[in-house]
Amino acid sequence: MTSDGFLTDSGVELERAFGLVASDTRIEILRALWDVRVSDGEGASFSELRERVGVSDGGRFNYHLGKLVPEFVRKREERYSLTHTGAKLIGDAVSGAYTETDGPSVRQAAVGDCHISDCDGSTTVEYRDGELRFGCDTCDRRPDAVPVPPIVVESNDADDVPVVGSRFSMLTVERTNRGFCHLCDGPIEQTVARFHPDFEPDLDGSVDVIHECRACGEWRRSGARGTLIGHPATVSLLYDAGIDYRAVPHWEQTWLNEATERVVDEDPVRVAVTAPIGGTEHRFTLDGSLDVVDWE
Ligand SMILES: [Zn+2]
Ligand SMILES: [Zn+2]
């Protein structure tokens, strides 16, 4: 699937939307409405809002406010408040996505054993350019880079960043597994790479799965085991084994690190993932969309 059409169609829209907020006064209006939202949530009248923003020229203020309606600001019964899009814009600014271009970084640290079976090295982690990067200090395994917003890093001690960042990345994976794009909220499709017209398998020892957004075209690759993260079958087995998987960083998720997976049927597509949970090997059978169809 290609997203070219979508991006071309929305390119003009996107430019217009960015243009709408490209003004200090409009940013100040959004900020003021955010303050109103978190204080009483009832919205603000024109005069209250103008006073908060501190613009004396009523005509100029009205012009800028009008540009933000209806995308970012809603007007109802003579009161102004943020739309979800307006609130999301402020939320993203708070998380540092737009402002922290030269954001925080955390120096490389070792967090555990490398999961490659014939490697005695350590898994390393570092944070820079908005990504938590996992690699190995010994072997040349493909490094993982997961997007983690600056606020997650800044609101924790440096020593805790690898674990908290890993928990955040598991959340992103679960979100994708539930079918929502982490960038645009659009629908995600999961396909085994070797049955996908545009992708070649690229992961050693795994059944490559492509997670692809039908709206924006964002995609990522993972082993088939990754689609089991957050699935009720694995969550309940882990819970019965005394493991709260949400609290465990991914390099300590032995059920994932020691899992094996292979395509067992092509028509219809069936993928078998075997994972050790609670001292027992469990075998999960997934279909071509990576839904669990059977487990034992
Ligand atoms: Zn290694
Ligand atoms: Zn998307």
Side-chain angles (χ1 to χ4, degrees), residues 181-188 213-218:
C181 175
H182 72 106
L183 290 182
C184 80
D185 303 326
I188 294 282
C213 175
R214 290 211 309 258
C216 75
E218 165 77 351

Side-chain angles (χ1 to χ4, degrees), residues 184-219:
C184 80
D185 303 326
I188 294 282
E189 226 163 56
Q190 305 186 123
T191 315
V192 176
R194 63 184 258 204
F195 302 114
H196 192 297
D198 303 330
F199 289 91
E200 295 291 328
D202 193 32
L203 294 174
D204 287 339
S206 297
V207 176
D208 269 27
V209 173
I210 304 298
H211 310 257
E212 189 179 23
C213 175
R214 290 211 309 258
C216 75
E218 165 77 351
W219 65 275

Side-chain angles (χ1 to χ4, degrees), residues 88-108:
K88 186 82 170 54
L89 193 72
I90 299 290
D92 284 346
V94 170
S95 92
Y98 298 146
T99 49
E100 298 285 347
T101 47
D102 192 27
S105 61
V106 174
R107 265 212 306 260
Q108 194 178 77

Side-chain angles (χ1 to χ4, degrees), residues 12-296:
V12 177
E13 274 298 293
L14 206 58
E15 209 176 305
R16 199 180 73 85
F18 282 133
L20 291 177
V21 291
S23 141
D24 289 350
T25 305
R26 292 176 211 167
I27 299 287
E28 285 308 312
I29 293 171
L30 294 174
R31 273 182 203 273
L33 285 173
W34 178 264
D35 290 342
V36 169
R37 178 190 170 101
V38 295
S39 57
D40 65 14
E42 288 293 313
S45 69
F46 182 86
S47 55
E48 284 164 11
L49 189 55
R50 184 158 72 99
E51 201 167 303
R52 276 178 180 269
V53 178
V55 174
S56 51
D57 181 340
R60 189 168 80 85
F61 184 71
N62 190 37
Y63 168 78
H64 286 297
L65 179 57
K67 290 286 182 191
L68 295 171
V69 179
E71 281 91 346
F72 301 100
V73 174
R74 169 191 306 132
K75 182 186 180 188
R76 227 175 251 166
E77 291 168 1
E78 299 307 312
R79 295 190 80 77
Y80 295 88
S81 58
L82 289 177
T83 62
H84 175 72
T85 305
K88 186 82 170 54
L89 193 72
I90 299 290
D92 284 346
V94 170
S95 92
Y98 298 146
T99 49
E100 298 285 347
T101 47
D102 192 27
S105 61
V106 174
R107 265 212 306 260
Q108 194 178 77
V111 291
D113 296 338
C114 175
H115 63 75
I116 301 294
S117 52
D118 54 1
C119 174
D120 295 326
S122 300
T123 290
T124 58
V125 61
E126 63 183 313
Y127 181 82
R128 62 187 152 92
D129 302 333
E131 288 181 333
L132 204 56
R133 298 172 192 209
F134 295 92
C136 175
D137 61 6
T138 305
C139 70
D140 57 359
R141 82 181 209 223
R142 175 199 296 272
D144 283 333
V146 292
V148 174
I151 196 167
V152 173
V153 175
E154 289 188 324
S155 49
N156 287 282
D157 290 341
D159 290 349
D160 297 334
V161 165
V163 171
V164 178
S166 172
R167 285 171 50 204
F168 182 87
S169 71
M170 297 275 284
L171 190 63
T172 307
V173 170
E174 275 195 55
R175 188 180 163 81
T176 312
N177 286 346
R178 291 189 190 193
F180 301 104
C181 175
H182 72 106
L183 290 182
C184 80
D185 303 326
I188 294 282
E189 226 163 56
Q190 305 186 123
T191 315
V192 176
R194 63 184 258 204
F195 302 114
H196 192 297
D198 303 330
F199 289 91
E200 295 291 328
D202 193 32
L203 294 174
D204 287 339
S206 297
V207 176
D208 269 27
V209 173
I210 304 298
H211 310 257
E212 189 179 23
C213 175
R214 290 211 309 258
C216 75
E218 165 77 351
W219 65 275
R220 69 174 183 86
R221 189 189 288 278
S222 81
R225 69 195 72 185
T227 65
L228 293 172
I229 296 171
H231 190 284
T234 57
V235 172
S236 59
L237 287 168
L238 288 163
Y239 191 68
D240 287 347
I243 299 166
D244 178 352
Y245 79 104
R246 300 169 303 178
V248 181
H250 69 264
W251 58 89
E252 287 175 15
Q253 304 261 2
T254 41
W255 69 284
L256 286 173
N257 296 334
E258 292 175 10
T260 57
E261 49 191 61
R262 63 193 175 92
V263 173
V264 290
D265 211 334
E266 298 198 359
D267 191 19
V269 175
R270 290 291 182 265
V271 176
V273 178
T274 303
I277 303 177
T280 311
E281 290 288 325
H282 295 272
R283 184 184 145 113
F284 303 88
T285 306
L286 315 179
D287 66 12
S289 306
L290 287 306
D291 284 332
V292 175
V293 289
D294 192 27
W295 63 280
E296 58 195 49

